Amino acid sequence: MRSTNNTLGYHLVAFMVVAIWGSTFVFTKMLLQAGLSPAQIFTLRFIIAYVLLVLVPPKLGGDGGLNKRKWFADTWFDELLMVLLGLSGGSLYFLTENAAMLFTTATNTSLIVCSSPLFAMLLIAMFYRQSEPLSRQKVIGSLVACAGMAVVVLNGHFVLHLSPLGDLLAFGACLCWAVYSLLMKAVAGRYSTLFITRKVFFYGLLTIIPYYVIVSADRWIFTSSVFQFFNSSILLNLLFLGVVASMLCFILWNWVIRRLGAVVATNWVYFNPITTIIFAWWLLNEQITPWFLLGTLCILLGMYLCDRNSRKL
């Protein structure tokens, strides 16, 4: 059984990660306006994160000896799991989420993608019936949190503009993150957090290559927009996305999954729209509505029920 103080610390870390991820829309939007494509932004931020992780000394990373770094998993099957982690939590997730924004509204995309904890819970319960049983309290907690997230995203305007292609892409991103959570549970206890995170970035970059080959508009990572990088604000945005939102946040998120469990940790994704709205209120003077407060309370209640249930197991 985890102590209450330790559990609270893990939740605070999860909140910090989700808060940072909720703020990245501003930085990504600025880079898009500078002429970079979604695929280029993803590739550049993952390159920055991967290079920095490679520079971490092997002993500090916990995945090798003092002078020897661990580059491959212990078995080919585990290495395949690392490939799937890079695909589901990296290239495929970011491409489907960004592409969805081209065909459907931001509200639809946020609502569908942020429902991933519900699907993660179902997947994990399907594959781990003994260690992660699908209890009534866990289901109720997840549904309450999901409903709260929907209230926050819709903000009193309960009208959805359906777009089959865009909504399908958003649902694809939702499933990608659910699969990422499932796969993390399979490897988290057997490999160090830094090793797993480094593999996620590497295979995320490797699996984005076919996109550049197929889509001619984004065939090259570095186009004429590379000259924009001499602009300090663009460079700072890329560094924030690569160092903080990618490297640091993925390390902390994978560590939190190891500590809290995949279901409880992933439920923090419900909090993502909340941090986005708070960030917009702080910087863009957008108003906080009663619907926002009601949805926030529902999310917190649902997360409490899920975490309370997990501590009893």
Side-chain angles (χ1 to χ4, degrees), residues 20 23-32 41 233 236-238 240-241 279 283:
I20 292 173
S23 69
T24 56
F25 78 98
V26 173
F27 304 97
T28 301
K29 184 176 181 179
M30 291 180 65
L31 292 175
L32 290 170
I41 295 171
S233 63
L236 288 175
N237 285 346
L238 276 174
F240 174 81
L241 291 175
F279 194 82
L283 293 181

Side-chain angles (χ1 to χ4, degrees), residues 63 70-80 82 190-192 195 199:
D63 60 355
K70 186 181 181 72
W71 291 107
F72 297 100
D74 296 334
T75 66
W76 284 109
F77 179 76
D78 285 354
E79 192 67 23
L80 177 61
M82 300 297 172
R190 296 182 289 117
Y191 297 94
S192 73
F195 174 78
K199 300 295 282 188

Side-chain angles (χ1 to χ4, degrees), residues 53-191:
L53 280 178
V54 168
L55 296 177
V56 174
K59 187 175 182 180
L60 182 61
D63 60 355
L66 182 60
N67 298 310
K68 184 180 179 181
R69 186 182 301 280
K70 186 181 181 72
W71 291 107
F72 297 100
D74 296 334
T75 66
W76 284 109
F77 179 76
D78 285 354
E79 192 67 23
L80 177 61
L81 291 180
M82 300 297 172
V83 175
L84 295 176
L85 279 169
L87 186 66
S88 60
S91 57
L92 191 57
Y93 169 78
F94 280 96
L95 284 176
T96 50
E97 183 183 48
N98 290 334
M101 296 289 290
L102 299 176
F103 300 99
T104 189
T105 63
T107 298
N108 284 31
T109 302
S110 180
L111 186 61
I112 295 172
V113 172
C114 288
S115 64
S116 61
L118 188 60
F119 292 94
M121 179 188 68
L122 295 175
L123 280 177
I124 291 171
M126 185 185 304
F127 285 91
Y128 295 92
R129 295 181 181 179
Q130 298 298 323
S131 59
E132 294 278 0
L134 198 61
S135 67
R136 178 180 299 178
Q137 184 170 318
K138 186 181 291 185
V139 172
I140 292 175
S142 292
L143 290 176
V144 169
C146 189
M149 180 273 299
V151 171
V152 170
V153 172
L154 295 174
N155 197 28
H157 303 286
F158 299 98
V159 178
L160 292 177
H161 301 281
L162 298 181
S163 172
L165 178 57
D167 294 342
L168 184 62
L169 287 168
F171 185 66
C174 167
L175 289 181
C176 280
W177 199 253
V179 170
Y180 179 82
S181 302
L182 173 67
L183 296 174
M184 273 299 301
K185 182 174 176 61
V187 301
R190 296 182 289 117
Y191 297 94

